[in-house]
Amino acid sequence: MCLIIDANCLGKFLQEPPNEDSQPIHTWMQKRGKLVYATEGKFSEEIGKEARERLDEYSDAGIARFVDKDTLSKELRTINKRIMKSDDEHVIALAKAANVKLLYTHDRNLMDDFKNSHLIQDGKVYSGKRNKNFLRPDTCP
């Protein structure tokens, strides 16, 4: 299974050592879990240089998967923004582009959007270590 980490959790996820909510994700990544990320559009505004470099390092190590600008843009055009509570259509588009069903966030509106079956089919939200059962050792699609 793959995971998208929202910008509001990325800093805590990347800190050394990882905080208690992020530690289960790091352990899961060592067992075959992967992150999915993009750096274009709104992501470029939300992700700092250091975070981008770390994500690229994860990609080089095979534990993260990058989604390119064209693929992301194509999915963005299909999103019905009128049914969304959040302003995070780029996250929904990334999930659709990479067929990701799991998101780590603390944004309540984005949580609702990610669990909205009209936007993401079978979406789940990891909001902390209490959700570590969502981190299964499957591979990404």
Side-chain angles (χ1 to χ4, degrees):
M1 174 161 296
C2 291
L3 170 73
I4 295 170
I5 300 178
D6 187 24
N8 69 9
C9 295
L10 190 59
K12 290 181 180 183
F13 171 78
L14 293 174
Q15 75 186 25
E16 292 292 334
N19 71 2
E20 65 180 310
D21 286 328
S22 297
Q23 183 57 53
I25 297 171
H26 287 272
T27 302
W28 167 77
M29 288 170 55
Q30 295 170 2
K31 296 178 182 176
R32 293 178 35 202
K34 290 185 182 179
L35 303 180
V36 172
Y37 71 105
T39 58
E40 300 295 330
K42 194 168 177 187
F43 289 108
S44 67
E45 299 167 16
E46 294 180 341
I47 299 174
K49 182 182 176 200
E50 289 180 35
R52 183 176 303 163
E53 289 172 358
R54 286 283 299 281
L55 290 169
D56 288 341
E57 288 172 15
Y58 286 149
S59 183
D60 292 343
I63 55 176
R65 193 171 84 195
F66 175 75
V67 173
D68 64 80
K69 176 183 178 180
D70 293 336
T71 304
L72 187 64
S73 294
K74 181 180 174 185
E75 286 299 334
L76 268 169
R77 289 190 293 271
T78 70
I79 304 292
N80 182 354
K81 297 173 192 165
R82 293 183 304 238
I83 65 171
M84 293 185 65
K85 292 183 177 183
S86 74
D87 62 352
D88 293 306
E89 61 272 358
H90 59 295
V91 175
I92 301 299
L94 178 60
K96 291 177 71 157
N99 194 25
V100 174
K101 307 289 186 190
L102 186 59
L103 171 69
Y104 179 21
T105 188
H106 292 134
D107 179 328
R108 288 279 173 207
N109 288 334
L110 181 54
M111 288 177 183
D112 290 344
D113 289 341
F114 207 81
K115 292 190 242 177
N116 180 339
S117 63
H118 296 289
L119 295 168
I120 301 292
Q121 198 71 295
D122 301 320
K124 294 184 191 266
V125 175
Y126 178 99
S127 59
K129 67 180 182 177
R130 68 186 169 279
N131 303 122
K132 67 182 177 183
N133 61 313
F134 293 161
L135 302 169
R136 297 188 313 266
D138 323 22
T139 56
C140 289

